[in-house]
Amino acid sequence: MNKELLEQLKNFTILCVEDEEGIRKRLVNTLKYYFKEVYAASCVDEGYELYLEYKPSIILSDIEMPNKNGIALIEKIRKKDLSSIVIMVTAYSNEEYLLDLINLNINQYILKPVNSETLLNGILKALVKKLTLKIHFTEELYFDMSCRELFYNDEIVNLRKRDKDFIVLLYENKNQVLTYTLIEEHLWKDKIMSMSALKTFIKEFRQRIPFDIITNIPQEGYKLKNFS
């Protein structure tokens, strides 16, 4: 993970609400490496008491818990607080809770099983507007993640949304090849990506960028060039 981001995470406090003791301990042990303070609760009522006492920057809560679920916790918190970052953890990828999550302004959700990588990626996505991260390609060319804009000589480079999504996806996969499958999944969403459409997109993307920042990996995909 970017060292600059690690330092910024130390400015935040986090409340972890998880009823399964083993999972809660693993989450807390991981979070302690990155955050200034970590508070742990085993149920909704305990979690709400800790929230009232410490007012953490981030609430990380499981959804499926006995008696009261995580949605009930966030409903109580959102009556008082619309600004705290909320991240929900769930074992289900269906749409059972989708409307509740939207209405409660949830910032991010993470699917179980949770490991260190998925946990931190989810937290970073939830905090993207509060963190400052500039991806420098050259001294003059950088992408500001907080506003999702590409700058060249401190002036904005006009890009389309798909261009910006592509830059973020390249950065998230900077240590490996960004495969055609991943590009289709993240940039084309529910549409089918033809190779002709991809080639056209890449050609136009390169024309809009002041410097070529990608390398073509034949029969596999693309990789972000190393500018360090």
Side-chain angles (χ1 to χ4, degrees):
M1 183 190 291
N2 186 282
K3 290 182 180 179
E4 181 184 343
L5 288 184
L6 288 179
E7 289 300 316
Q8 291 181 58
L9 287 182
K10 293 177 182 177
N11 296 321
F12 297 90
T13 58
I14 187 167
L15 167 63
C16 175
V17 185
E18 167 61 61
D19 64 298
E20 295 186 38
E21 184 177 2
I23 295 176
R24 186 174 63 256
K25 286 183 177 179
R26 287 196 296 273
L27 289 173
V28 169
N29 286 337
T30 299
L31 294 169
K32 281 182 177 178
Y33 282 107
Y34 302 105
F35 289 94
K36 180 169 60 177
E37 294 289 347
V38 179
Y39 312 107
S42 60
C43 66
V44 167
D45 290 339
E46 183 184 4
Y48 189 64
E49 288 178 7
L50 288 173
Y51 162 77
L52 291 176
E53 183 175 358
Y54 296 106
K55 293 297 191 299
S57 316
I58 305 164
I59 297 98
L60 174 72
S61 176
D62 191 6
I63 290 183
E64 297 83 19
M65 290 186 285
N67 300 322
K68 298 177 184 177
N69 65 22
I71 298 293
L73 170 64
I74 306 308
E75 284 176 343
K76 293 183 71 174
I77 290 175
R78 283 299 190 227
K79 288 178 181 179
K80 299 175 175 288
D81 177 0
L82 296 175
S83 60
S84 290
I85 298 295
V86 175
I87 304 169
M88 305 303 290
V89 180
T90 177
Y92 302 96
S93 59
N94 59 34
E95 299 180 356
E96 180 181 356
Y97 301 107
L98 183 59
L99 186 59
D100 289 326
L101 296 177
I102 293 172
N103 291 337
L104 291 172
N105 191 28
I106 304 300
N107 301 90
Q108 188 69 29
Y109 76 91
I110 304 172
L111 289 177
K112 289 184 177 181
V114 180
N115 56 41
S116 297
E117 183 178 357
T118 57
L119 176 63
L120 289 175
N121 283 341
I123 290 171
L124 290 177
K125 287 178 181 179
L127 285 172
V128 67
K129 292 183 179 179
K130 294 181 178 289
L131 298 175
T132 302
L133 174 61
K134 294 180 180 179
I135 305 170
H136 281 271
F137 304 110
T138 68
E139 187 175 341
E140 306 89 355
L141 182 70
Y142 66 88
F143 187 81
D144 190 327
M145 291 283 280
S146 61
C147 62
R148 285 176 54 87
E149 295 287 359
L150 183 70
F151 290 85
Y152 180 58
N153 289 328
D154 293 325
E155 293 187 2
I156 293 177
V157 178
N158 290 323
L159 296 178
R160 299 171 182 172
K161 180 181 182 300
R162 184 172 284 177
D163 296 330
K164 298 175 184 181
D165 290 343
F166 186 49
I167 291 174
V168 173
L169 195 59
L170 283 164
Y171 179 74
E172 290 176 344
N173 295 270
K174 62 182 178 180
N175 296 320
Q176 59 192 36
V177 177
L178 181 56
T179 65
Y180 300 138
T181 301
L182 276 175
I183 294 172
E184 180 177 30
E185 178 183 342
H186 288 271
L187 302 190
W188 266 255
K189 308 292 184 184
D190 55 348
K191 298 178 182 178
I192 296 175
M193 179 191 77
S194 68
M195 289 308 299
S196 174
L198 177 60
K199 287 179 180 179
T200 299
F201 165 72
I202 294 296
K203 179 181 178 181
E204 293 177 351
F205 175 82
R206 280 177 159 145
Q207 290 172 347
R208 284 189 283 271
I209 305 293
F211 296 97
D212 190 8
I213 64 172
I214 56 175
T215 299
N216 178 32
I217 310 298
Q219 309 302 316
E220 293 186 55
Y222 296 88
K223 198 172 189 299
L224 188 66
K225 287 184 177 180
N226 186 357
F227 289 91
S228 60

